[in-house]
Amino acid sequence: MNILMLASEAVPLAKTGGLADVVGTLPIELARLGHDVRLALPRYAGIEAAPVTLKKAPAVRVPWRGDQLEVGIETGALGGGAVPLTCIRYDPFFARPGLYGEDGRDYPDNLERFVLFCRAVMEACKQPGRPPDVLHAHDWQSALAVAYLKTLYRNDPAWVGTRALFTIHNIGYQGHFPVSAYDATGLPWSEYTPERLEYYGQVNLLKGGLVHADILNTVSPTYAREIQTAEFGYGLEGVLQVRKDRLFGVTNGIDYNVWNPATDSHLPARYSAADLSGKRECKRALQTEVKLPARDVPLVGMVSRLAFQKGIDLIVDILPRLLELDVQMVVLGSGDPSYQTLLAELSARHPDKLAVRLVFDERLAHRIEAGADLFLMPSRYEPCGLNQLYSLRYGTVPVVRKTGGLADTVVPYAPDVRLGAAATGFGFEKPEPEVLLSTLLLALRVYRDKEEWTGLMRRGMQQDFSCQRSARQYVELYQRALAL
Ligand code: ADP
Ligand code: GLC
């Protein structure tokens, strides 16, 4: 198959969260399965530092507010040449310090930025005589490409027969903009209706993908069901209920070449399920790195965007009580300034127990996955989550809320089931501080039982959530779209 994928981030070029891991990995696996995949991304500032060489290609003219705009194109490849890359270069929009905003505030012209990205992809990735079989777009930033395919480009020979798959990584982010911005989309006003892109008097870019795609998916089966309910659908549950026959769940896979404690070059020592001794060294080194006493106490790790989604408020609530116990915690996160302040204050009060790093640091993320004993993810909702998958592979027992992909990937420990059960972590249901605290207390009690704990670690390390498996499931969805 000939697949054109577009997204707003992908490792190793640009990343704010799990979307980048998935989009940086999936096309390479699809290419390994024998498919022709091209990936299109915005050309952000700072991309120069990535281990990818970009070359200038002929510019394209993109329809823009009744006129045309010349947009730069740079090309390169991912996966050792396996996946050709098209980067859309328009510095007034993309050469900024952030991808979507700065200091917790979105850029006010995000609609224009991603309109231009999607429209430029439609122009730059035309291959005369060879329309892609599938256009695969991710999240609200790329959703307009699907809408363009089905409207403005419907009769364009360069796109004839192309089917669209749209992947929802997080329905909490929809791209809402005032109606005054709608003209910039270039779409006819007939698209601005409640059945299409209108949403309570605003433009909703995500809906462009939801209503126009041939097939929809989200990143776990449980989340695919959850988003059809008012509790999780963020107002779009009705739209998804209508399309439920076209909506699937594909649990994210991870790249075990990058996330593997037996080979990870970011770690001071390496280890495997067969020989766990290196993990102790990783823990000591992590304690030293984040300036916690290098003692034999349970060390709880967390790596997260600091957003409401992630249950940070629950953590802040229980931390004073948790830190009365003989435990340590290390948090790596960036995002909402109010959570940053709260965490920094708590850490100043408990410097021997709580280390907080309010930055984005890929290497430290690896060392926390390896050095911690437990990994905390009390998300209010979680479409899939990758950190619990990394934690499982690193023998760092996840403590999660049973929602979305967390419910699909972690088997919670039950106190009444003896050794040998299938448990790989700890789970709780109600998003309440007391429930989180009692789950952590249970985990800390089991931690003292070395045999039981090692069983949990080893079972987790043996789980297989590979990106090879998820890539095959995406191929099935592409085939389904082509068979329509
Ligand atoms: P989400 O995409 O909702 O943020 P995921 O669990 O799917 O959640 O993916 C998060 C990804 O971002 C993981 O690869 C994680 O290691 C990484 N990450 C999040 N915050 C940081 C940070 N402060 N520093 C380094 N990596 C981070
Ligand atoms: C989103 C979700 C996360 C998911 C990631 C990759 O950011 O919040 O749960 O793992 O996308 O699909």
Side-chain angles (χ1 to χ4, degrees), residues 286-295 297-303 306 312 314-333 338-358 364 368 372 374 376 440:
L286 174 63
Q287 288 169 317
T288 309
E289 177 175 0
V290 300
K291 304 195 167 55
L292 289 171
R295 295 179 43 230
V297 287
L299 175 56
V300 183
M302 175 153 186
V303 179
L306 299 180
I312 310 295
L314 303 177
I315 296 173
V316 168
D317 187 299
I318 65 153
L319 266 176
R321 281 175 289 166
L322 182 70
L323 296 176
E324 280 170 18
L325 309 174
D326 196 19
V327 293
Q328 294 177 346
M329 180 154 176
V330 50
V331 180
L332 169 63
S338 63
Y339 292 135
Q340 302 207 38
T341 311
L342 286 167
L343 286 167
E345 280 169 9
L346 279 163
S347 151
R349 252 185 280 149
H350 305 272
D352 278 358
K353 290 192 167 173
L354 175 63
V356 173
R357 295 289 178 274
L358 300 170
L364 182 56
I368 291 175
L374 301 97
L376 193 52
L440 268 170

Side-chain angles (χ1 to χ4, degrees), residues 15-19 21 169-170 252 259 303-306 309-310 332-334 357-366 369 377 382-388 390:
K15 168 166 169 175
T16 66
L19 172 65
D21 300 65
H169 292 263
N170 192 334
N252 284 334
W259 295 94
V303 179
S304 184
R305 284 185 295 115
L306 299 180
Q309 173 195 349
K310 302 293 179 180
L332 169 63
S334 56
R357 295 289 178 274
L358 300 170
V359 290
F360 196 93
D361 183 341
E362 192 89 39
R363 283 177 303 184
L364 182 56
H366 282 248
E369 289 291 0
M377 261 177 112
E382 196 61 76
C384 180
L386 298 174
N387 278 308
Q388 84 280 13
Y390 302 148

